[in-house]
């Protein structure tokens, strides 16, 4: 079962009853966390057993299903807390500060046509929440193969989980192998005998990171006398940067997957898990690793949702190996990979060929086979470049154009 959370804005603020419910819910979660820590349990049922009765007495009218789901939320927080403890990281006793609540799918009703949620507060008391529905949201609301999962409510938005069975994966007829770099995905597209270079560039992400990084530095200097303001401003900068980058990553991932879907391709990526960011290394490098992993994550979950195969392979030596004769070069060279056997190719594309060969040698690519010698040096297929996005990023209103 695959789950996708879709965020909706609320047309108007939360009604006061709902706000009170959120506060009660938060209280219930925090109580359950405390009770769970005391008696060292983390499962929903166990929490239910020890905390349900007390809380029920304090809030006799709260809808029982919401109460049970508060134990579930508390349980998952406790599990995370326990995991932290195991790793030896000292962490504070968890406490939910933000107003929130989660309702299981039987505990609310969503009219998928009008986008109105009917949320029970207690017996005989329901509130209506109107969701802002854009074209993007319509895609999910109108697709009746998707069933509704849980609902998370925050003061200004609601997150609806849509669920579906994992789609059947097609047998790939072609393959895209991509080497992930700081400013682009570079690789090859293999269909039959043809091997062509592909590229999805995102040079603006590094620029945004650098710009926000500089800006934070400046803020810290300027507000050095006021730690609190400095922290708040930096946090705001960070959130902005995060949104801007995330938006671009989704654009890149979407175009790669669209390309793959249209050509029934499998996708080969390098496994970035092994890379550990070293504290001592330059900050720039640390900055660049995050969006790459994030991009992989986005590609992977979107691919799963669409039934596209993604293979992750060990990238060891991929940038130093000659795909023709197998020689491993001593060091990485400049922009071009050159081998004594006469093979020359763009370093990144060469790396992607090696990734693909690793995938094939492990029997991953479904019996596909290819000859790196057939690489067409004069063709380059562009999967994505920033200019393809009509607007660099949506502002507050453009996301909801074409409503209802
Ligand atoms: Zn060679």
């Amino acid at each position: 079962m695959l789950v996708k959370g879709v965020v909706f804005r609320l047309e108007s603020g939360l009604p006061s009853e709902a706000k009170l419910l959120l506060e009660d819910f938060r209280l219930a979660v925090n109580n359950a966390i405390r009770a769970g820590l005391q008696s060292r349990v983390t499962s929903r049922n166990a929490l239910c057993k020890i905390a349900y009765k007390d809380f029920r007495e304090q809030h006799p009218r709260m809808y029982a299903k919401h109460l049970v789901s508060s134990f579930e939320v508390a349980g998952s927080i406790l599990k995370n807390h326990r995991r932290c403890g195991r790793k030896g990281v000292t962490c504070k006793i968890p406490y939910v500060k933000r107003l929130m609540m989660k309702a299981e799918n039987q505990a609310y009703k969503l009219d998928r046509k009008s986008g109105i949620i009917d949320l029970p507060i207690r017996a005989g008391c329901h509130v209506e929440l109107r969701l802002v529905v854009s074209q993007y949201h319509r895609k999910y609301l109108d697709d009746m193969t998707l069933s509704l999962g849980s609902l998370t409510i925050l003061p200004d938005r609601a997150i609806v989980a849509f669920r579906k069975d994992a789609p059947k994966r097609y047998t790939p007829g072609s393959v895209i192998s991509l080497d992930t770099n700081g400013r682009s995905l570079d690789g090859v597209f293999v269909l039959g005998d043809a091997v062509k270079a592909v590229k999805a560039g995102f040079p603006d992400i590094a620029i945004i990171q650098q710009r926000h990084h500089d800006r934070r530095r400046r803020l810290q200097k300027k507000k050095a006398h006021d730690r609190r303001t400095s922290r708040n401003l930096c946090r705001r900068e960070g959130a902005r940067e995060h949104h801007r980058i995330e938006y671009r990553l989704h654009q890149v991932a979407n175009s790669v997957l669209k390309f793959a879907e249209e050509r029934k391709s499998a996708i080969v990526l390098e496994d970035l898990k092994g890379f550990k960011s070293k504290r001592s290394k330059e900050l720039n490098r640390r900055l660049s690793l995050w969006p790459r992993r994030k991009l992989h994550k986005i590609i992977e979950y979107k691919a799963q949702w669409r039934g596209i195969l993604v293979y992750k392979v060990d990238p060891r030596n991929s940038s130093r190996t000659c795909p023709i004769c197998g020689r491993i070069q001593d060091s990485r060279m400049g922009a071009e990979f050159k081998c004594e056997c006469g093979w020359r190719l763009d370093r990144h594309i060469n790396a992607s060929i090696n990734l693909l060969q690793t995938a094939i040698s492990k029997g991953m690519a479904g019996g596909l086979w290819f000859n790196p010698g057939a690489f067409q040096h004069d063709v380059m297929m562009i999967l994505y470049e920033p200019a393809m996005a009509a607007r660099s990023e949506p502002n507050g209103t453009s996301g909801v154009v074409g409503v209802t």
Side-chain angles (χ1 to χ4, degrees):
M1 191 66 102
L2 299 176
V3 181
K4 161 129 181 103
V6 178
V7 181
F8 291 83
R9 301 230 153 252
L10 298 177
E11 225 167 69
S12 49
L14 278 182
S16 55
E17 289 98 338
K19 242 181 221 155
L20 289 174
L21 175 64
L22 255 60
E23 274 166 22
D24 278 351
F25 192 89
R26 181 174 61 182
L27 201 62
V29 172
N30 285 326
N31 275 348
I33 289 175
R34 230 169 299 147
L37 281 174
Q38 262 167 20
S39 35
R40 295 173 170 275
V41 294
T42 58
S43 82
R44 189 187 76 174
N45 287 340
L47 283 171
C48 227
K49 253 184 214 154
I50 54 172
Y52 186 85
K53 222 176 131 201
D54 288 347
F55 202 84
R56 199 84 196 123
E57 275 163 14
Q58 291 161 25
H59 299 266
R61 288 166 57 175
M62 190 174 168
Y63 191 53
K65 273 187 180 137
H66 294 332
L67 200 47
V68 174
S69 106
S70 81
F71 296 137
E72 182 147 345
V73 173
S76 63
I77 292 172
L78 284 169
K79 268 174 203 144
N80 276 332
H81 178 65
R82 183 186 274 184
R83 207 170 299 143
C84 269
R86 270 201 210 116
K87 275 189 198 154
V89 187
T90 46
C91 39
K92 284 188 260 174
I93 288 171
Y95 179 82
V96 181
K97 262 195 212 144
R98 285 171 84 193
L99 269 187
M100 62 84 67
M101 77 158 288
K102 200 172 164 190
E104 292 308 313
N105 62 343
Q106 303 104 335
Y108 73 98
K109 275 200 197 93
L110 168 62
D111 181 5
R112 294 171 78 152
K113 274 230 168 66
S114 61
I116 295 174
I117 288 175
D118 177 32
L119 183 73
I121 305 280
R122 50 181 184 263
C125 176
H126 289 232
V127 289
E128 261 188 7
L129 304 175
R130 282 173 181 276
L131 305 177
V132 177
V133 179
S134 70
Q135 274 169 322
Y136 163 77
H137 297 111
R138 270 276 149 247
K139 247 185 359 205
Y140 292 95
L141 288 170
D142 294 345
D143 186 348
M144 285 307 165
T145 59
L146 303 177
S147 61
L148 294 176
S150 66
L151 166 75
T152 306
I153 302 175
L154 302 167
D156 60 336
R157 55 190 191 272
I159 302 155
V160 179
F162 288 91
R163 302 188 296 194
K164 75 168 176 184
D165 295 321
K168 221 181 144 206
R169 288 176 168 158
Y170 53 71
T171 5
S174 58
V175 60
I176 309 171
S177 174
L178 294 169
D179 179 47
T180 315
N181 301 297
R183 285 159 186 266
S184 57
L185 295 168
D186 307 88
V188 286
F189 170 63
V190 182
L191 176 64
D193 293 331
V195 185
K196 293 172 186 164
V198 290
K199 185 185 179 83
F202 40 84
D204 42 349
I205 288 180
I207 296 170
I208 290 170
Q209 278 191 307
Q210 191 58 49
R211 196 174 295 152
H212 281 266
H213 174 241
D214 292 349
R215 213 177 277 171
R216 270 197 298 271
R217 272 259 172 93
R218 259 203 315 273
L219 274 173
Q220 271 162 352
K221 227 179 249 166
K222 214 168 152 191
K223 300 282 175 197
H225 56 283
D226 187 349
R227 293 280 292 281
R228 192 175 57 109
T229 311
S230 153
R231 201 168 50 217
N232 284 341
L233 289 173
C234 283
R235 195 176 294 153
R236 196 175 65 183
E237 271 311 310
R240 272 186 198 152
E241 174 189 359
H242 186 86
H243 287 145
R244 298 181 69 192
I245 291 177
E246 195 105 327
Y247 172 75
R248 284 165 175 82
L249 293 177
H250 277 271
Q251 296 276 318
V252 176
N254 280 338
S255 12
V256 169
L257 289 168
K258 188 168 165 244
F259 183 94
E261 199 169 33
E262 283 167 1
R263 291 160 182 81
K264 297 260 176 278
S265 316
I267 299 174
V268 176
L269 295 173
E270 67 200 292
D271 194 347
L272 292 173
K273 236 186 253 154
F275 285 93
K276 282 202 181 108
S277 57
K278 281 180 197 139
R279 288 272 161 84
S280 58
K281 287 242 170 160
E282 226 184 84
L283 196 61
N284 273 341
R285 241 189 75 71
R286 253 201 302 161
L287 283 175
S288 68
L289 201 58
W290 170 78
R292 286 195 269 169
R293 279 206 190 121
K294 181 77 195 182
L295 179 60
H296 279 194
K297 251 195 182 153
I298 296 174
I299 289 178
E300 278 175 278
Y301 92 69
K302 278 182 198 267
Q304 217 183 18
W305 190 261
R306 298 193 195 185
I308 300 171
L309 278 167
V310 175
Y311 301 109
K312 303 277 287 273
V313 299
D314 184 357
R316 208 173 308 155
N317 290 337
S318 65
S319 56
R320 300 197 287 139
T321 310
C322 170
I324 303 293
C325 66
R327 220 172 268 151
I328 295 176
Q329 305 288 338
D330 291 335
S331 64
R332 290 176 202 194
M333 288 157 286
E336 196 177 50
F337 179 91
K338 281 183 223 145
C339 180
E340 286 138 58
C341 71
W343 175 253
R344 306 174 116 210
L345 190 60
D346 175 278
R347 184 163 58 89
H348 299 316
I349 295 172
N350 188 67
S352 79
I353 289 181
N354 286 318
L355 292 177
L356 181 54
Q357 285 198 323
T358 314
I360 289 174
S361 69
K362 296 236 164 88
M364 283 171 166
L368 282 172
W369 182 88
F370 92 117
N371 171 17
F375 182 80
Q376 296 171 11
H377 288 265
D378 48 342
V379 201
M380 168 74 88
M381 299 168 97
I382 302 292
L383 304 186
Y384 178 81
E385 56 189 14
M388 278 162 80
R391 187 189 275 118
S392 58
E393 64 203 274
N395 55 35
T397 49
S398 63
V400 293
V401 170
V403 197
T404 53

